[in-house]
Amino acid sequence: MNLRAVRAIYAQEMGRFFRTVTQSLVAPVLSTSLYFVVFGAAIGGRIEEVEGVSYGAFIVPGLIMLSVITQGISNASFGIYFPKFVGTIFEVLSAPVSFLEAVLGYVGAAATKSFLIGLIILATSWFFVDLSIAHPVAMLAFLVLTCVSFSLLGFIIGIWAGNFEQLQLVPLLIVTPLVFLGGSFYSVSMLPGIWQTVALFNPVVYLISGFRWSFFGLADVPVGISLLAIAAFTTACLAVVWWIFRTGWRLRR
Amino acid sequence: MAPILSIRDLRKTYDNGFEALKGVSLDIQPGEILALLGPNGAGKTTLISAVCGITRITSGTATVAGHDVQRDWRQARELIGLVPQEISLESFEKVRRTVAFSRGLFGKPRDDAAVERVLRQLSLWDKRDSTAMQLSGGMKRRVLIAKALVHEPRVLFLDEPTAGVDVELRRDMWRVVDELRREGVTIILTTHYIEEAEAIADRVAVISRGRILLVEDKDSLMRRMGRKVLHVALQQPLVAIPADLARFGLALDDGGRRLTYSYDTKAERTGIATLLAALAECGIAVADLDTEASSLEEIFVGLVHGDDAEGEAAP
Ligand SMILES: Nc1ncnc2c1ncn2[C@@H]1O[C@H](COP(=O)(O)OP(=O)(O)OP(=O)(O)O)[C@@H](O)[C@H]1O
Ligand SMILES: [Mg+2]
């Protein structure tokens, strides 16, 4: 195992993050604040409480997930697409670095970045609402798993993408709708009849539900199922990554 | 001595069905400098990419110091440094960091002194804190060389290291190659500049259309092909070569105004003095003299041209 290579890739990717640290952090903080203003103030005025939790606090887990998922995907997909695009990937391909080591470096860095952003958003939320975290360990576990699995997904997208449009396509067409409809801003139980059933086909619902459970102890679906869902998703991503590794797909010509 | 790089019947067919390498075999001895010459699209970069792990090998083998590049890829790649043809660098990364990054990728412990050494060797130390974006094209190429050298490879691939580089930098590059040669690094370099191959290579390989046409010791190649030609411009045109001059094997052209005499530069006696004396004896007045050496370039052009003609005849 070439751990030094993993460290080198990880450090390089984190370096990119810290070079633009203001951008990297200001954007999520700003958008979170906006969500609070828009959703918290506007809607919160009408829906004061959801299942005994103030609406402002209720949307925090969803907001964190929203950012962590989009950031994980964009960081990881860009992180591997960029070297492919400018050609610097040749160095990783010609170095004694296995695919697993490259994945650890790139996905590890992307997951770390989105994890940091998640924490920052959590901290920002404290300025707006009173928050208590019922199950901190579970909260961190959900957060880390989400960061890792969506960074893996981003990595796969970055390898698959042949141009910038494709790089944006999957997040735009699939992930963003799923995340927005994933119950960030409402409880699934608030949806009218049939839509409750439809929502259950959205994997993000399970994530947000589980994550919300770790804050307030209430969930749309049993927390065990949430855990199972994210484990299954992570496994699926790992399987695809493994397949890419076996075939050298789209990396080596 | 066992070759440090041994390529056996290497074939590469790209996904679009194009066969870029059609069974290349090549052995390179430790410490040797091999110039790989060939026209655009000959397969030079493909060959290098296949050995370095950038493209998948369709069939055949390549070993570096006995390590198969496909089976024992890790051990094989640890020994290889690669300077690619295209300049590709992270624009916002500082020179020092990007060089240190390469060292890390190859699993070597962090060593600031090693980074400094290679940066100084390539006259980049002043630029250590510049970002790639702030460097000129020639400097970027040096950074790529620094990145390829910082993990102390035993085999270095230089894919057109002096393309688009000014004369001074080219000399600089040759100096670096010379230093590396003294350290015992094996170098495979591709180039379009024949004089570059003449200046620094020990052996020359010519590749065209995915096949190696020739591999030969540079000196023996030069000797074999090292014929010079003497053109003698005449004041008065000749109708035919006088019988007295037959032994020189002259050719008459330019409407009888020019005699051409070829001779071996390495021979004890070139016969030029005798020829001139014989001309004077025959009363032929000489207007001007001019010599021409056959260079690697001509050999190269001749070979590739022949190959092209063949390719057209039987595509
Ligand atoms: N990814 C690819 N897919 C299909 N064909 C390719 C690919 N890369 C290269 N080729 C083809 O393979 C042949 C050899 O290309 P290669 O880059 O090895 O040539 P080269 O000898 O390095 O040329 P140059 O002197 O221009 O650098 C060319 O005909 C090229 O068009
Ligand atoms: Mg080339």
Side-chain angles (χ1 to χ4, degrees):
Chain A
M1 186 86 178
N2 186 351
L3 282 177
R4 291 201 182 98
V6 175
R7 180 143 33 109
I9 295 173
Y10 183 85
Q12 182 190 258
E13 290 302 300
M14 291 310 287
R16 204 201 309 281
F17 178 70
F18 287 116
R19 263 201 305 277
T20 55
V21 70
T22 3
Q23 281 175 47
S24 314
L25 293 183
V26 164
V29 168
L30 192 70
S31 61
T32 311
S33 308
L34 283 174
Y35 277 124
F36 271 115
V37 172
V38 174
F39 285 90
I43 302 177
R46 296 170 189 232
I47 318 172
E48 282 181 3
E49 280 193 345
V50 182
E51 298 170 39
V53 179
S54 83
Y55 185 72
F58 179 82
I59 63 172
V60 170
L63 278 184
I64 295 176
M65 279 289 168
L66 191 68
S67 298
V68 157
I69 288 173
T70 45
Q71 290 286 330
I73 290 179
S74 75
N75 281 326
S77 62
F78 194 75
I80 187 70
Y81 180 77
F82 185 69
K84 248 183 23 169
F85 181 70
V86 298
T88 49
I89 191 77
F90 88 86
E91 213 186 351
V92 179
L93 294 179
S94 64
V97 175
S98 70
F99 188 70
L100 175 69
E101 287 150 4
V103 168
L104 281 177
Y106 283 109
V107 173
T112 308
K113 291 180 215 178
S114 44
F115 182 72
L116 289 178
I117 287 170
L119 291 187
I120 295 276
I121 291 174
L122 185 59
T124 313
S125 309
W126 252 299
F127 284 101
F128 292 91
V129 290
D130 269 346
L131 264 182
S132 59
I133 301 169
H135 310 282
V137 177
M139 191 278 279
L140 284 177
F142 265 112
L143 191 57
V144 169
L145 267 175
T146 308
C147 292
V148 170
S149 56
F150 280 88
S151 297
L152 277 170
L153 178 64
F155 187 81
I156 294 165
I157 294 171
I159 285 187
W160 164 79
N163 54 49
F164 275 101
E165 281 84 58
Q166 290 181 349
L167 194 62
Q168 319 238 307
L169 203 68
V170 176
L172 203 69
L173 287 187
I174 302 175
V175 179
T176 310
L178 285 185
V179 172
F180 267 88
L181 302 176
S184 298
F185 303 110
Y186 50 85
S187 161
V188 170
S189 63
M190 292 158 75
L191 293 173
I194 175 87
W195 293 105
Q196 289 197 20
T197 318
V198 172
L200 293 181
F201 286 98
N202 181 352
V204 181
V205 165
Y206 297 85
L207 276 183
I208 294 181
S209 164
F211 195 47
R212 190 174 282 139
W213 169 85
S214 69
F215 279 79
F216 312 120
L218 30 105
D220 291 329
V221 290
V223 68
I225 296 195
S226 289
L227 257 174
L228 220 62
I230 182 144
F233 179 61
T234 312
T235 312
C237 290
L238 281 173
V240 175
V241 164
W242 175 249
W243 176 78
I244 293 175
F245 165 69
R246 296 300 302 170
T247 58
W249 182 69
R250 287 225 183 184
L251 269 179
R252 292 197 160 88
R253 273 171 304 178
Chain B
M1 213 175 341
I4 186 140
L5 175 63
S6 179
I7 299 171
R8 283 283 160 277
D9 198 29
L10 196 73
R11 287 167 194 274
K12 170 67 191 180
T13 305
Y14 280 108
D15 289 342
N16 63 3
F18 183 79
E19 195 178 14
L21 296 177
K22 299 168 182 157
V24 169
S25 297
L26 194 60
D27 278 328
I28 294 159
Q29 299 302 321
E32 187 174 39
I33 300 188
L34 179 98
L36 190 57
L37 299 177
N40 288 132
K44 304 181 292 295
T45 301
T46 305
L47 180 60
I48 291 177
S49 302
V51 174
C52 294
I54 292 169
T55 45
R56 293 187 305 258
I57 291 172
T58 306
S59 72
T61 58
T63 58
V64 181
H67 303 293
D68 187 296
V69 299
Q70 294 171 95
R71 223 183 32 243
D72 314 322
W73 55 272
R74 213 187 270 275
Q75 289 86 336
R77 285 188 208 160
E78 274 168 4
L79 302 173
I80 298 179
L82 166 64
V83 180
Q85 181 173 4
E86 307 283 337
I87 293 184
S88 39
L89 282 171
E90 288 250 355
S91 309
F92 300 101
E93 195 72 275
K94 285 186 178 154
V95 168
R96 185 167 31 186
R97 286 192 52 146
T98 191
V99 173
F101 169 72
S102 303
R103 194 175 160 87
L105 269 191
F106 279 79
K108 295 267 165 133
R110 184 180 161 165
D111 183 347
D112 294 342
V115 172
E116 176 171 347
R117 199 163 51 241
V118 55
L119 286 181
R120 284 193 188 282
Q121 185 179 15
L122 288 150
S123 323
L124 280 170
W125 184 240
D126 293 343
K127 301 284 179 192
R128 60 190 177 277
D129 287 319
S130 305
T131 60
M133 206 171 52
Q134 297 165 326
L135 300 178
S136 74
M139 287 181 208
K140 284 187 195 146
R141 206 170 273 286
R142 288 194 223 197
V143 174
L144 284 175
I145 299 179
K147 282 164 76 73
L149 288 179
V150 73
H151 70 274
E152 294 144 33
R154 302 229 343 252
V155 180
L156 180 67
F157 288 94
L158 293 166
D159 200 352
E160 298 192 30
T162 54
V165 148
D166 69 12
V167 181
E168 195 186 341
L169 184 52
R170 190 178 309 170
R171 301 268 160 203
D172 249 29
M173 214 79 91
W174 294 2
R175 177 183 54 76
V176 171
V177 167
D178 209 50
E179 281 171 30
L180 292 172
R181 178 213 296 269
R182 266 181 268 127
E183 289 167 22
V185 179
T186 307
I187 298 173
I188 294 94
L189 126 144
T190 75
T191 178
H192 286 284
Y193 300 108
I194 316 280
E195 74 266 30
E196 189 158 280
E198 281 194 62
I200 57 181
D202 301 318
R203 272 203 308 164
V204 174
V206 176
I207 183 171
S208 172
R209 298 164 177 275
R211 283 202 182 84
I212 300 272
L213 300 183
L214 164 152
V215 189
E216 197 168 331
D217 192 66
K218 183 191 66 184
D219 290 332
S220 85
L221 186 65
M222 294 301 293
R223 216 173 306 123
R224 181 156 68 85
M225 309 278 186
R227 297 189 71 79
K228 260 189 157 180
V229 173
L230 175 75
H231 295 295
V232 184
L234 308 175
Q235 286 179 3
Q236 304 294 326
L238 285 178
V239 181
I241 298 168
D244 282 352
L245 300 179
R247 63 194 156 109
F248 292 102
L250 299 174
L252 186 64
D253 55 15
D254 193 18
R257 287 184 176 277
R258 191 172 76 161
L259 286 169
T260 301
Y261 169 62
S262 31
Y263 60 98
D264 189 342
T265 48
K266 302 292 190 294
E268 291 275 298
R269 306 167 66 90
T270 57
I272 293 177
T274 334
L275 172 69
L276 292 178
L279 286 174
E281 255 170 49
C282 297
I284 298 171
V286 172
D288 197 7
L289 290 175
D290 183 18
T291 62
E292 212 180 85
S294 74
S295 64
L296 256 180
E297 178 131 19
E298 279 172 83
I299 301 166
F300 171 71
V301 170
L303 267 173
V304 171
H305 206 73
D307 181 56
D308 279 354
E310 226 170 78
E312 270 151 38

